[in-house]
Amino acid sequence: MRARSVSKTLGFESFMWLFMRLSGLAMYVFALTGLIIALFMGARTQMDMGTLLRWTFFPIGTHVTSSDILVLEQWINPFWSIIQYLVIAFATLHGTNGLRVVLEDYMDKGWSVYLLRGLLFVVWLFMLLVAFNLIQTSGAI
Amino acid sequence: MPLKRSVSLWQGLKYKGGGPMWAWILHRLSGLGILLFVGLHVLAAFMTAQFGSDAGIAINTIYESWAFQIIVYFSILFHVVNGLRVIVLDFWPALLEHEREAVWAEWFVIVPIFGLATYIIVTKALGG
């Protein structure tokens, strides 16, 4: 079996390779920020484990309003909105690129790869806009 | 020519790639699962907020079931911990010598956290 050839120059693939790792680390930072601040704001006594995990991965108000939180303004404010926008921006591109990498492993090089990339770009843009709209209509900012 | 590889599924299953191979497979499967889960969740919430569709409620009913929560929790936890292993080994290639030990270390982190949360989810589901 012969290993596939990989271009040694810096380009699209190496940029996305770096992005996958850096966005992964960035999402670690956002998740730990959400988890640690939530515990300081009283999550230990005011919400169950499932609610805390939902908040950890995506700190949107609708994820916690059904729990017993006391001060709503602590949980729904511009600080969390900024984190939401950043998480969505990183997560949607990380996920769409992951799907692209998996699919392209099973495709021959050629025009179909570029068709797939165009299609996934539209899907990514749609996901991004839908999620941004949800954040805007969820009450914060 | 990736589509013309002459390896059958059976031969593929017999391949002794070990821990790192299974971690690679699980990373892909869990990643695709999370993308599907989050994509549908965001789409359903959008449909409910904008058009008052029942799709969001129907999907949330599935998502809130305890069996589904265990699967989603495992997928995310594995993808997150394995992703960190990939990042560490990629940025410090000298550590690749201990690749198999790194996968073992990863499971030592995942199993207790997963087991504890699963215990809480199941006992809560059974009315504990």
Side-chain angles (χ1 to χ4, degrees):
Chain A
M1 209 193 302
R2 188 175 54 86
R4 62 181 170 177
S5 60
V6 177
S7 155
K8 288 188 180 68
T9 52
L10 289 178
F12 176 67
E13 287 297 347
S14 53
F15 176 79
M16 291 318 289
W17 178 89
L18 190 63
F19 172 80
M20 290 304 264
R21 275 123 193 102
L22 294 183
S23 58
L25 288 177
M27 285 188 280
Y28 254 98
V29 173
F30 296 135
L32 289 177
T33 305
L35 179 64
I36 291 168
I37 298 184
L39 288 170
F40 271 108
M41 294 191 302
R44 194 177 65 83
T45 51
Q46 292 164 21
M47 54 180 66
D48 62 14
M49 188 190 70
T51 313
L52 179 60
L53 284 176
R54 284 205 294 276
W55 171 269
T56 298
F57 291 113
F58 196 68
I60 194 168
T62 48
H63 273 168
V64 289
T65 41
S66 62
S67 65
D68 304 326
I69 52 172
L70 300 173
V71 191
L72 206 61
E73 290 74 24
Q74 280 184 340
W75 301 83
I76 301 176
N77 59 45
F79 172 75
W80 293 119
S81 288
I82 291 167
I83 295 206
Q84 284 165 23
Y85 283 113
L86 289 171
V87 171
I88 278 293
F90 280 120
T92 52
L93 195 54
H94 188 100
T96 321
N97 186 60
L99 180 61
R100 181 188 70 82
V101 169
V102 172
L103 290 179
E104 285 185 13
D105 263 1
Y106 298 93
M107 291 167 72
D108 288 322
K109 275 200 177 354
W111 60 270
S112 53
V113 168
Y114 294 98
L115 182 71
L116 175 78
R117 287 180 188 178
L119 214 66
L120 285 180
F121 180 78
V122 175
V123 169
W124 169 70
L125 210 59
F126 178 74
M127 275 166 61
L128 195 70
L129 294 177
V130 163
F132 277 4
N133 175 271
L134 261 181
I135 297 172
Q136 280 175 338
T137 54
S138 70
I141 302 193
Chain B
M1 289 296 147
L3 290 179
K4 292 191 183 71
R5 60 164 78 89
S6 51
V7 178
S8 69
L9 178 66
W10 177 237
Q11 281 174 306
L13 286 174
K14 281 200 298 186
Y15 183 70
K16 290 193 175 69
M21 177 186 79
W22 289 105
W24 179 84
I25 292 174
L26 273 178
H27 198 74
R28 293 201 150 190
L29 288 179
S30 59
L32 294 176
I34 294 165
L35 184 65
L36 185 70
F37 160 74
V38 176
L40 279 180
H41 181 53
V42 169
L43 193 64
F46 175 75
M47 297 290 280
T48 307
Q50 291 297 321
F51 310 112
S53 154
D54 291 336
I57 296 150
I59 287 184
N60 274 349
T61 311
I62 300 171
Y63 282 6
E64 281 165 10
S65 71
W66 63 274
F68 195 88
Q69 280 184 10
I70 290 174
I71 297 170
V72 168
Y73 183 65
F74 177 79
S75 300
I76 295 178
L77 186 65
F78 179 83
H79 201 82
V80 163
V81 176
N82 190 59
L84 190 62
R85 177 188 68 91
V86 171
I87 293 170
V88 170
L89 291 183
D90 274 356
F91 284 162
W92 287 276
L95 295 175
L96 275 172
E97 200 183 323
H98 309 289
E99 190 186 24
R100 278 162 203 274
E101 289 78 7
V103 174
W104 280 108
E106 173 190 332
W107 285 109
F108 275 116
V109 174
I110 293 173
V111 170
I113 303 178
F114 178 69
L116 191 65
T118 305
Y119 174 76
I120 294 173
I121 293 171
V122 171
T123 47
K124 203 182 157 201
L126 299 177

